């Protein structure tokens, strides 16, 4: 067995160092920082409270279940629960109440991960399982995005504690661009809508900056070779193509490719969610199909489905296809080159 | 410079070859050597000396057993002080008197003489597998070989034996290559060497000019682990793909490493059996690293102490390289024909493996696998013991290079899993072979008893018939027909033996480290069949003669 390991080697020789699994997770967390910071800048410290609460729940639940399953607590070092917390925290509307986050993390860590046998065994992306469950069970809370606001909104504390009524939060909230466009008044054409969008001031600009920040994080992941280009490129490519096709045929009613790409969870999803290696396809061909499938599903659900954003559902649906993709996209070279030829 | 090609995957571990670069020296003559009987591929040798025998350097002390096996020679002069099932111990007299074989001129000697010499000298592959050189050289009898590849890639970190062998003995190595090439009928010689061995490369370039009669090409290849794997090297040098479950010979290639060629030449030209080898002594726990000529059987502790081993900082002793070598639990080992390197590493140098975490399906392993396998899938199926899937994903094509475990971010000891699975599957196969062998023997015995009974019966009847009627209308034609069918049976049995030999030679070459008892058993079974057929034929001839003469 190998007594050298790439993650432990630090000779000053030419070599490609590879990080350990824990290092990979920690790097992904670092790469979320630009996105989180930008979100915080526009939507206030509720973003931070989300992440803090979600990671706290994540570590606590992971530790509890490792104990229950009599596993070594050192596994916490792999930082995967931490990452799941960060990702779910980043997906939820800022300043979500603690119990909502708690339920989401139970679904993510306990149901989607530990009950399947822990890290590496989960067929579904844990953070997206948590998100989808919340979206289906508590749709009102999940659509309450605040309007761009000050860093420290007065209601922050009471929102987190859940001691503020839905109506009160509703009053504070604005729509997301995708949401607003989806629910635009019947008969209103796209150009009429954009002429005077019913959005709080600065909303579009905020979402675009956030998308740019997630892209910067994604670029870091690509540069550090922690993710391969296949999934993001395939997903964004297929999204653009599908959105453009629909837009060409129906420019007055469909969202433009630009709106699809730069608002909502698109770029966050492309770089941080779809690329989760555990629940994604493994071969290069498989990754391309997997990414393209997500992109296509996002457009289909956004256009004809009931949800304004659809990254979570698209990812989960493609997670379902992974076993199949893995079987049918075995790299040609790895296929047995001859059928039989048993050992003599 | 010759054109080279790319193989899939590979990694760039730190080279750490600098420390053992000094000139080659001779290790001090050990006072005692312990020679293991199993230091080559195949069956252990059989001791031919007894306690109290005096031996000289080069005296044969054990002979080969079975087809794949090798002879063993005393590596110091003195007295045999212990012989047990696994080892022969010799206490030295400090004089170092030699017993050589008569030198041969390889250009004029015939092939049989040379092959016998290689076999008598106990020359085996010194690159790590210890495969008997004479069996390998015989491959030309069965398959057409056009190229002899000298495997000087030496891609494992730390090891510099081949490098230093070429730096100092390039001419002899090439002459050894010419010798082996002539034996297997190769038409050209290609030396594959990684571009980080500049001195060896220039030594080679100088030596090539005078090398006769075949042309020698020196191919400098990029440094990338595991470029020295046979398949990888053949792909890189010749752009030929050794088929799955195939051997280099299937694409007309024979591979040998420089040390083996040097040993082959010495056994022929100087009549020196294989009694010493070059060993790289290195690692931070050693004060005086370098390459030494070491007598086979020298205790590692003696050798390392001489090289200034600091036991207090020694963390891990490794035999071989850090990628494919064996971690040793203590200093009790002895140098064998396949010990190419001893690394006395400190804790900082080769830290203990970090704890394993689950596979995150990142695909890094797949990217680096030189055998184009899916290590991750193999890992799942090995742990699930799904044998059909393991076969489907070509478990047995894994060369155990450890590139996958080297990069795995979850520190999964992938190759350990594969070895387990391979051992389990091999064991199953061995059990089947054993059962078949036993069944075969039983049936054969039953058949023999039945035949003898029938013959007795027939004789009795014949006697009775003679007594009553004196008629001689018994089977007048049958002995003839019988004889013919027995002769056919004997020919078939001979063919079966040849086939079993071929299978064994192939399998042993593919997997030299493993016992191939199943195939040795098959060979034994075939040989028994042949003996039986011959015995029956002889019997029938004897019985037939009195009837044939009148
Ligand atoms: S490198 Fe390790 S973690 Fe990555 S896919 Fe291979 S076995 Fe799994
Ligand atoms: S050890 Fe086997 S599976 Fe792993 S990289 Fe080497 S050949 Fe491939």
């Amino acid at each position: 067995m190998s007594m050298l390991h790439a993650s432990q080697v630090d000779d000053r020789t030419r070599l490609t160092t590879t990080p350990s699994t824990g290092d990979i997770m920690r790097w992904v967390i670092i790469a979320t920082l630009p996105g989180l910071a930008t979100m915080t800048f526009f939507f206030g410290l509720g973003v931070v409270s989300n992440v803090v609460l979600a990671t706290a729940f994540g570590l606590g639940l992971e530790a509890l279940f490792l104990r229950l399953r009599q596993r070594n607590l050192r596994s916490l070092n792999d930082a995967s629960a931490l990452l799941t917390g960060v990702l779910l925290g980043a997906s939820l509307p800022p300043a979500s109440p603690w119990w909502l986050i708690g339920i989401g993390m139970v679904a993510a860590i306990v149901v989607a991960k530990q009950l399947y046998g822990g890290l590496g065994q989960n067929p579904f992306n844990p953070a997206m399982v948590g998100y989808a469950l919340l979206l289906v069970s508590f749709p009102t809370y999940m659509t309450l995005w605040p309007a761009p606001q000050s860093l420290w909104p007065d209601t922050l504390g009471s929102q987190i504690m859940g001691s503020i009524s839905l109506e009160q939060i509703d009053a504070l909230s604005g729509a997301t661009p995708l949401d607003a466009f989806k629910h635009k008044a019947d008969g209103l054409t796209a150009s009429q809508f954009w002429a005077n969008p019913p959005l709080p001031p600065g909303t579009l600009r905020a979402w675009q900056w956030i998308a740019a920040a997630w892209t910067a994080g994604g670029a870091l992941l690509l540069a550090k070779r922690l993710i391969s280009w296949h999934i993001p490129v395939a997903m964004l490519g297929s999204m653009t193509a599908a959105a453009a096709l629909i837009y060409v045929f129906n420019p007055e009613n469909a969202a433009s490719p630009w709106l699809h790409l730069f608002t909502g969870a698109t770029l966050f999803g492309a770089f941080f969610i779809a690329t989760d290696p555990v629940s994604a396809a493994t071969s290069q061909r498989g990754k391309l199909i997997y990414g393209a499938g997500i992109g296509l599903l996002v457009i289909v659900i956004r256009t004809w489905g009931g949800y304004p954003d659809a990254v979570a559902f698209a990812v989960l649906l493609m997670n379902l296809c992974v076993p199949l993709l893995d079987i049918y996209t075995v790299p040609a070279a790895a296929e047995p080159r001859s059928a039989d030829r048993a050992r003599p | 410079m010759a054109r080279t090609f790319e193989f899939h995957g590979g990694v760039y571990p730190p080279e750490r070859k600098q420390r053992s670069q000094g000139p080659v020296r001779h290790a001090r003559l050990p006072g005692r050597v312990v020679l293991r009987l199993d230091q080559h591929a195949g069956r252990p040798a059989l001791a031919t000396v007894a306690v109290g025998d005096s031996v000289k350097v080069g005296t044969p002390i054990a002979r080969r057993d079975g087809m794949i096996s090798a002879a063993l020679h005393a590596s110091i002069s003195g007295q045999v002080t212990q012989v047990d099932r696994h080892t022969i111990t010799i206490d030295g007299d400090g004089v170092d008197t030699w017993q050589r074989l008569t030198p041969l001129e390889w250009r004029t000697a015939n092939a049989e003489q040379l092959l016998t010499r290689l076999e008598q000298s106990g020359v085996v592959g010194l690159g790590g597998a210890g495969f008997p050189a004479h069996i390998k050289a015989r491959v030309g009898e069965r398959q057409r070989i056009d190229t002899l590849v000298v495997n000087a890639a030496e891609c494992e970190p730390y090891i510099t034996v081949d490098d230093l062998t070429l730096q100092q003995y390039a001419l002899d190595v090439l002459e050894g290559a010419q010798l082996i090439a002539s034996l297997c009928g190769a038409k050209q010689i290609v030396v594959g060497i990684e571009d980080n061995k500049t001195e060896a490369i220039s030594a080679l370039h100088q030596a090539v000019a005078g090398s006769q009669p075949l042309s020698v090409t020196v191919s400098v290849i990029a440094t990338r682990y595991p470029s020295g794997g046979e398949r990888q090297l053949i792909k890189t040098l010749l752009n030929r793909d050794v088929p799955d479950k195939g051997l280099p010979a299937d694409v007309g290639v024979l591979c040998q490493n420089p040390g083996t060629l040097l040993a082959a030449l010495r056994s022929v030209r100087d009549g020196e059996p294989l009694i010493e080898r070059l060993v790289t002594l290195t690692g931070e726990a050693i004060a005086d690293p370098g390459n030494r000529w070491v007598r086979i059987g020298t205790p590692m502790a003696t050798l390392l102490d001489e090289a200034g081993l600091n036991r207090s900082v020694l963390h891990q002793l490794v035999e071989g390289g850090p990628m494919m070598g064996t971690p040793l639990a203590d200093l009790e080992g002895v140098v064998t024909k396949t010990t190419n390197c001893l690394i006395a590493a400190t804790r900082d140098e080769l830290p203990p493996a970090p704890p394993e975490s689950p596979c995150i399906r990142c695909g890094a392993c797949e990217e680096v696998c030189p055998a184009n396998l899916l290590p991750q899938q193999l890992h799942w199926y090995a742990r699930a013991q799904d044998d059909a899937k393991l076969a489907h994903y070509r478990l047995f094509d894994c060369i155990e290079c450890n590139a996958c475990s080297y990069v795995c971010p979850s520190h999964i000891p992938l190759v350990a899993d594969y070895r387990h699975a391979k051992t389990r599957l091999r064991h199953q196969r061995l059990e089947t072979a054993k059962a078949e062998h036993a069944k075969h023997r039983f049936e054969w015995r039953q058949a023999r008893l039945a035949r003898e009974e029938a013959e007795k019966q027939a004789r009795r009847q014949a006697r009775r018939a003679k007594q009553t009627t004196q008629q001689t209308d018994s089977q007048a034609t049958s002995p003839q027909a019988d004889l013919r069918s027995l002769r056919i049976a004997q020919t078939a049995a001979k063919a079966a033996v040849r086939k079993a030999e071929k299978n064994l030679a192939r399998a042993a070459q593919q997997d030299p480290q493993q016992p191939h008892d199943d195939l040795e058993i098959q060979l034994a079974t075939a040989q028994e069949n042949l003996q039986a057929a011959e015995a029956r034929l002889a019997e029938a001839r004897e019985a037939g003669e009195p009837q044939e003469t009148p």
Side-chain angles (χ1 to χ4, degrees):
Chain A
M1 104 165 247
S2 171
M3 281 146 275
L4 270 175
H5 195 280
S7 69
Q8 294 178 312
V9 166
D10 61 351
D11 292 44
R12 262 164 274 117
T13 43
R14 65 186 171 113
L15 77 157
T16 44
T17 40
T18 52
S20 70
T21 294
D23 293 340
I24 294 178
M25 302 287 173
R26 278 182 280 274
W27 269 107
V28 177
I29 293 173
I30 290 172
T32 59
L33 293 181
L36 288 176
T38 317
M39 274 179 80
T40 310
F41 177 79
F42 286 109
F43 294 115
L45 282 170
V47 176
V48 177
S49 69
N50 274 359
V51 170
V52 169
L53 281 172
T55 50
F57 274 118
L59 290 176
L61 287 165
E62 177 105 335
L64 180 70
F65 272 77
L66 286 172
R67 236 319 126 64
L68 288 178
R69 293 176 57 219
Q70 297 173 359
R71 298 299 154 100
N72 198 328
L73 280 187
R74 252 196 319 211
S75 301
L76 285 175
N77 271 340
D78 65 33
S80 59
L82 203 65
L83 177 59
T84 302
V86 172
L87 295 180
L88 183 65
S91 317
L92 296 177
S96 287
W98 63 271
W99 54 265
L100 189 83
I101 299 176
I103 293 174
M105 287 308 286
V106 168
I109 298 290
V110 180
V111 180
K113 186 168 157 198
Q114 291 295 343
L115 290 188
Y116 276 100
L119 177 63
Q121 312 278 346
N122 47 305
F124 297 105
N125 184 313
M128 288 303 102
V129 170
Y131 182 85
L133 177 95
L134 294 179
L135 188 57
V136 175
S137 321
F138 306 98
T140 29
Y141 281 95
M142 295 297 284
T143 46
L144 293 174
W145 274 84
Q149 59 185 338
S150 70
L151 210 53
W152 199 308
D154 307 333
T155 51
L156 187 66
S158 46
Q159 268 181 283
I160 297 170
M161 293 316 293
S163 58
I164 184 169
S165 76
L166 258 183
E167 290 70 39
Q168 279 170 293
I169 315 179
D170 199 26
L172 298 168
S173 301
T176 67
L178 278 173
D179 213 2
F181 187 81
K182 176 145 199 96
H183 299 117
K184 70 182 159 62
D186 282 342
L188 208 62
T189 65
S191 42
Q192 287 163 341
F193 174 82
W194 288 117
N196 187 15
L199 290 169
T203 304
L204 263 183
R205 199 172 57 98
W207 280 100
Q208 281 157 24
W209 274 108
I210 291 168
W214 288 124
T215 310
L220 175 66
L221 292 180
L222 281 170
K224 292 218 56 126
R225 297 184 42 121
L226 293 169
I227 58 175
S228 73
W229 57 268
H230 302 80
I231 293 176
V233 166
M235 171 174 161
L236 298 174
S238 82
M239 270 188 77
T240 316
L245 198 70
I246 297 173
Y247 189 67
V248 164
F249 282 105
N250 193 1
E252 279 309 303
N253 263 315
S256 66
W258 178 82
L259 186 69
H260 277 301
L261 284 181
F262 292 102
T263 60
T266 306
L267 287 154
F268 170 66
F271 290 111
F272 292 90
I273 299 294
T275 49
D276 163 36
V278 176
S279 54
T282 49
S283 69
Q284 300 196 344
R285 223 153 32 101
K287 281 178 182 163
L288 288 175
I289 301 176
Y290 174 81
I294 294 176
L296 209 65
L297 282 170
V298 168
I299 296 295
V300 168
I301 301 176
R302 280 184 186 176
T303 310
W304 293 290
Y307 292 94
D309 203 343
V311 172
F313 291 119
V315 168
L316 292 175
L317 281 170
M318 286 312 286
N319 285 164
L320 267 177
C321 305
V322 163
L324 216 62
L325 282 177
D326 276 354
I327 290 175
Y328 287 106
T329 61
V330 172
E335 283 272 26
R337 267 164 253 154
S338 65
D340 57 330
R341 271 196 289 171
R343 260 163 70 93
Chain B
M1 199 206 293
R3 184 164 169 232
T4 57
F5 304 84
E6 287 273 306
F7 65 92
H8 177 266
V11 290
Y12 302 92
E15 293 169 15
R16 300 186 184 169
K17 291 181 188 265
Q18 212 44 50
R19 283 205 85 211
S20 53
Q21 274 296 329
V24 165
R25 283 174 281 166
H26 283 265
R28 216 178 293 138
L29 205 62
R32 162 182 291 182
V33 289
V34 179
L35 291 126
R36 283 171 43 178
L37 293 168
D38 64 349
Q39 50 182 299
H40 45 257
R43 291 202 169 162
L46 294 173
T48 52
V49 286
V51 172
D53 287 1
S54 315
V55 290
K56 296 178 183 164
V57 182
T59 307
I61 54 170
R63 62 175 169 82
R64 75 177 167 91
D65 173 28
M67 186 175 128
I68 311 290
S69 184
L72 209 55
H73 303 79
S75 55
I76 55 173
S77 59
Q79 216 176 29
V80 176
T81 49
Q82 198 191 332
V83 178
D84 60 32
R85 280 181 54 220
H86 305 292
T87 55
I88 297 174
T89 309
I90 300 171
D91 278 7
D93 53 15
V95 189
D96 209 34
T97 38
W98 277 72
Q99 169 180 344
R100 289 189 174 81
L101 295 158
T102 32
L104 285 173
E105 171 51 57
W106 69 266
R107 284 165 213 269
T108 52
N110 65 38
E112 215 35 61
Q113 273 176 311
L114 294 174
L115 288 167
T116 312
R117 170 56 58 90
L118 291 179
E119 188 200 325
Q120 282 173 344
S121 312
V123 179
V124 301
L126 301 185
F131 193 81
H134 69 279
I135 305 264
K136 213 168 175 181
R138 266 185 202 280
V139 66
E141 294 170 4
R142 285 190 296 265
Q143 280 171 291
R144 209 180 58 82
I145 299 294
D146 58 46
T147 307
L148 173 72
V149 165
V150 181
N151 185 348
E154 200 162 54
C155 53
E156 269 254 12
Y158 287 95
I159 311 179
T160 53
V161 233
D162 291 347
D163 187 0
L164 268 290
T165 303
L166 286 171
Q167 285 184 32
Q168 306 219 333
Y169 312 99
L171 267 175
D172 283 356
V173 169
L174 290 188
E175 183 152 1
Q178 298 280 4
L179 184 169
I180 296 290
S182 82
L183 267 181
C184 65
K187 301 284 176 289
Q188 59 162 348
I189 297 169
V190 181
V191 188
I193 184 164
E194 282 191 339
D195 56 13
N196 60 358
K197 301 173 185 61
T198 42
E199 279 185 49
I201 294 169
S202 59
L204 268 172
H205 279 305
Q206 273 171 20
V208 160
S211 195
Q212 289 286 352
L214 296 181
S215 78
V216 182
T217 319
V218 178
S219 226
V220 180
I221 61 176
T223 298
R224 173 162 53 128
Y225 180 85
S227 65
E230 279 190 348
R231 280 162 191 267
Q232 286 68 39
L233 190 64
I234 292 170
K235 175 75 186 168
T236 315
L237 298 179
L238 306 168
N239 200 21
R240 299 184 196 171
D241 289 297
V242 178
D244 294 344
K245 301 187 181 110
L247 284 175
D250 298 340
V251 291
V253 177
L254 185 91
C255 283
Q256 279 296 7
N257 89 320
T260 316
L261 296 169
L262 184 60
L265 179 73
R266 286 192 171 165
S267 83
V268 173
R269 184 188 64 189
D270 311 330
E272 271 182 26
L274 182 56
I275 53 95
E276 64 178 352
R277 69 156 297 150
L278 213 49
V279 181
T280 302
L281 301 179
T282 184
E284 302 284 338
I286 280 184
D288 185 17
N291 282 274
R292 310 279 156 78
W293 281 107
V294 180
R295 296 293 166 93
I296 308 292
T298 305
M300 288 179 186
T302 317
L303 190 60
L304 291 168
D305 283 339
E306 191 189 325
L309 173 69
N310 179 351
R311 290 179 196 232
S312 60
V313 296
L314 175 67
H315 168 67
Q316 176 70 67
L317 181 62
V318 182
E319 182 176 2
M323 300 294 286
M324 294 182 77
T326 321
L328 300 176
D330 50 38
L331 294 170
E332 302 301 302
V334 291
V335 169
T336 68
K337 292 179 179 177
T338 54
T339 309
N340 51 3
C341 179
L342 289 176
I343 308 171
T346 60
R347 199 185 158 88
D348 286 346
E349 216 178 347
L350 295 180
E356 176 186 342
S357 52
C359 167
I360 54 163
R361 305 180 9 116
C362 66
C365 49
E366 183 187 322
E367 257 167 58
V368 301
C369 176
N372 253 319
L373 305 175
L374 298 177
Q376 181 209 140
Q377 261 82 339
L378 285 174
H379 158 71
W380 292 119
Y381 295 127
R383 294 219 169 156
Q385 308 207 343
D386 186 337
D387 298 343
K389 280 283 186 338
L390 286 173
H392 179 76
Y393 287 106
R394 301 189 290 137
L395 171 67
F396 278 93
D397 279 354
C398 166
I399 59 170
E400 300 184 9
C401 69
N402 266 303
C404 52
S405 15
Y406 176 71
V407 295
C408 174
S410 290
H411 308 289
I412 303 174
L414 294 159
V415 176
D417 290 354
Y418 307 156
R419 286 212 181 133
H420 264 127
K422 282 183 180 175
T423 314
R424 190 168 50 78
L425 291 169
R426 274 201 200 97
H427 188 73
Q428 280 171 11
R429 212 155 42 205
L430 181 61
E431 289 303 309
T432 324
K434 270 191 187 151
E436 259 166 31
H437 185 60
K439 187 168 146 231
H440 179 268
R441 281 198 151 167
F442 176 75
E443 283 170 357
W444 186 58
R445 191 165 164 273
Q446 293 298 97
R448 185 169 51 90
L449 292 178
R451 202 175 56 239
E452 283 171 3
E453 188 53 35
E455 278 163 8
K456 236 185 268 167
Q457 200 79 24
R459 274 200 294 275
R460 232 178 282 139
Q461 270 172 9
R463 231 178 294 132
R464 231 176 284 140
K466 238 185 219 168
Q467 280 168 0
T468 49
T469 53
Q470 289 298 66
Q471 263 179 359
T472 45
D473 66 342
S474 51
Q475 318 98 342
T477 49
S478 73
Q480 236 66 11
D482 221 30
L483 219 51
R484 204 170 51 235
S485 68
L486 284 176
R487 236 179 273 126
I488 294 171
Q490 182 213 23
T491 319
K494 258 189 202 156
V497 169
R498 268 200 303 273
K499 188 167 162 230
E501 276 174 357
K502 188 177 142 205
N503 284 348
L504 176 55
R506 280 186 78 87
Q509 229 165 309
Q510 273 165 347
D511 243 339
Q513 257 103 10
Q514 296 304 324
H516 291 280
D517 279 354
D518 51 344
L519 295 175
E520 288 274 9
I521 287 173
Q522 267 169 26
L523 177 59
T525 310
Q527 277 164 344
E528 269 168 25
N529 277 343
L530 179 59
Q531 272 169 11
E534 273 167 355
R536 241 179 295 160
L537 187 63
E539 230 172 72
R541 279 208 178 111
E542 253 169 49
E545 248 155 43
Q547 284 172 351
E548 270 171 346
T549 27

